Amino acid sequence: MDVDDGNCPQMMNDDQEDEMEMEELRRGPWTVEEDLILINYISLHGEGRWNSLAHLAGLKRTGKSCRLRWLNYLRPDVRRGNITLEEQLLILELHSRWGNRWSKIAQYLPGRTDNEIKNYWRTQVQKHAKQLKCDVNSKQFKDAMQYLWMPWLVERIQATSATSGPTAVASPGCSTSTITTTTGGGCDNNLEPLGSSSNWVPENPGTRASCPISELTDYYRLPVTEAQDPAGRFCSGQGSSYQFEQSLAAPPEGYYSNYGLDLQPMDQSNNYQYMDGGGTSGNFWNVEDIWYTNHKI
DNA sequence: AAAGATCCCAACCGCTCGACC
DNA sequence: AGGTCGAGCGGTTGGGATCTT
């Protein structure tokens, strides 16, 4: 019990009590002690009823704050660390369908929180939209995402798997043949959360339980029709599949300006710099960084 | 080495929705 | 029908970490 500072509880009206309660509430970063209290309490009593939980656990936090701390940080199944290439691909794909529905998107990335995905989107995706001088919601940027970034991620995933062996790929939980890069298509209604979903039974256990990288890649090699790609930006002329690498290696004249982007053609050395420099960072947009660097745009 | 700029992420805020009375 | 409460969502912010000059 705190030392009496002169405020007699019996003499306080409701407003004063509320004020005192507000003053007692802690805000800002959580301490280790608070974390332990919350973890212990939830392990004993379970989660839910956050306001009373906060009170009963003896935490001077709002229920909201406790809930957020638990869901975003303390939950045992929360995954930390860098967003993987597979996760990036999934985020782009799902965002193209649902927009800023972070919690919905998070359902398909086990262990990732809506907050984390939102932060990723804000820091990484919007940053690059800004670099490209276009709005993140603009058609130009969406096209660049759909035709460049996502296929690039698939290539990187494939390259990674080729060197490090098969990897479990986070996927929307449906057969890859129905993963589309166009809004409104695909299997929205059939999507199931990955991993954490214990009651999910694959339609075709042989292929659906884990969407192999090759299938993802195959999808992104679907024919690009003239209608979809009127400028022939992504068609290499080799069969009907577009070759992302080639389009990167030799972007046609006015390639970027087709997107309304004020960028200059890249010379061959820079291409190699990019192809090698993609590295493990998973930063497709290095290609643009190089442009800005070399051309002092 | 230091100052300023930028990045990143944990946490907060305001709002909405659904359940319950 | 309308009020209250708990829960969840998306947007925003504060501040530490890192990078740049």
Side-chain angles (χ1 to χ4, degrees):
Chain A
M1 186 67 184
D2 291 341
V3 177
D4 188 357
D5 60 358
N7 289 330
C8 176
Q10 281 91 351
M11 301 294 284
M12 287 193 300
N13 59 30
D14 288 349
D15 287 346
Q16 284 173 317
E17 280 184 42
D18 287 347
E19 246 176 58
M20 193 171 172
E21 217 166 276
M22 292 298 287
E23 277 176 22
E24 280 184 359
L25 283 177
R26 274 183 51 78
R27 295 176 60 187
W30 280 61
T31 64
V32 176
E33 288 76 17
E34 287 177 311
D35 283 348
L36 288 174
I37 290 171
L38 185 56
I39 290 169
N40 287 336
Y41 189 89
I42 289 176
S43 70
L44 288 173
H45 303 96
E47 48 185 293
R49 309 277 301 178
W50 293 103
N51 279 333
S52 57
L53 182 154
H55 182 71
L56 293 171
L59 287 163
K60 291 178 169 47
R61 295 277 183 172
T62 64
K64 253 184 172 183
S65 182
C66 293
R67 173 183 165 272
L68 211 61
R69 183 63 177 173
W70 175 254
L71 293 178
N72 287 342
Y73 199 84
L74 298 175
R75 240 181 341 140
D77 59 333
V78 77
R79 273 183 75 191
R80 314 201 66 76
N82 292 340
I83 304 279
T84 66
L85 294 171
E86 290 87 349
E87 288 172 324
Q88 290 179 47
L89 180 62
L90 200 47
I91 291 169
L92 297 184
E93 161 65 22
L94 296 179
H95 188 276
S96 73
R97 294 183 193 186
W98 298 322
N100 297 357
R101 301 287 305 280
W102 306 119
S103 63
K104 188 165 184 169
I105 292 170
Q107 288 174 9
Y108 298 91
L109 289 105
R112 297 295 187 186
T113 67
D114 56 348
N115 211 30
E116 198 170 10
I117 294 167
K118 185 168 55 180
N119 280 333
Y120 166 75
W121 187 265
R122 281 192 59 80
T123 58
Q124 301 301 314
V125 180
Q126 293 196 353
K127 179 178 73 179
H128 294 306
K130 193 178 170 188
Q131 278 183 335
L132 293 172
K133 294 173 183 168
C134 58
D135 186 89
V136 74
N137 294 315
S138 67
K139 187 179 186 307
Q140 286 94 336
F141 188 72
K142 285 176 179 173
D143 281 350
M145 220 167 65
Q146 179 175 340
Y147 293 117
L148 294 172
W149 196 354
M150 291 170 73
W152 177 85
L153 282 169
V154 172
E155 296 297 335
R156 291 299 310 162
I157 291 166
Q158 190 183 32
T160 305
S161 71
T163 56
S164 62
T167 334
V169 178
S171 73
C174 60
S175 67
T176 49
S177 62
T178 56
I179 297 175
T180 72
T181 54
T182 54
T183 306
C187 56
D188 295 19
N189 298 330
N190 296 325
L191 290 177
E192 296 287 349
L194 272 183
S196 58
S197 174
S198 56
N199 57 359
W200 167 52
V201 179
E203 285 170 359
N204 179 356
T207 58
R208 188 174 166 174
S210 63
C211 297
I213 291 160
S214 59
E215 289 185 23
L216 278 172
T217 308
D218 285 345
Y219 170 74
Y220 284 109
R221 288 185 184 283
L222 283 175
V224 177
T225 65
E226 196 66 16
Q228 290 170 302
D229 185 21
R233 292 181 296 246
F234 308 112
C235 295
S236 68
Q238 296 181 353
S240 57
S241 296
Y242 74 83
Q243 300 294 317
F244 179 63
E245 299 93 327
Q246 188 156 343
S247 71
L248 256 184
E253 193 79 17
Y255 173 84
Y256 288 104
S257 61
N258 284 334
Y259 283 114
L261 304 176
D262 184 24
L263 299 170
Q264 303 298 311
M266 178 164 57
D267 66 51
Q268 198 67 19
S269 61
N270 283 341
N271 290 340
Y272 292 129
Q273 188 184 348
Y274 154 67
M275 295 302 279
D276 290 337
T280 55
S281 69
N283 187 0
F284 157 73
W285 302 95
N286 283 350
V287 67
E288 304 303 349
D289 294 342
I290 292 163
W291 279 66
Y292 285 111
T293 304
N294 284 283
H295 297 276
K296 307 289 182 197
I297 294 173

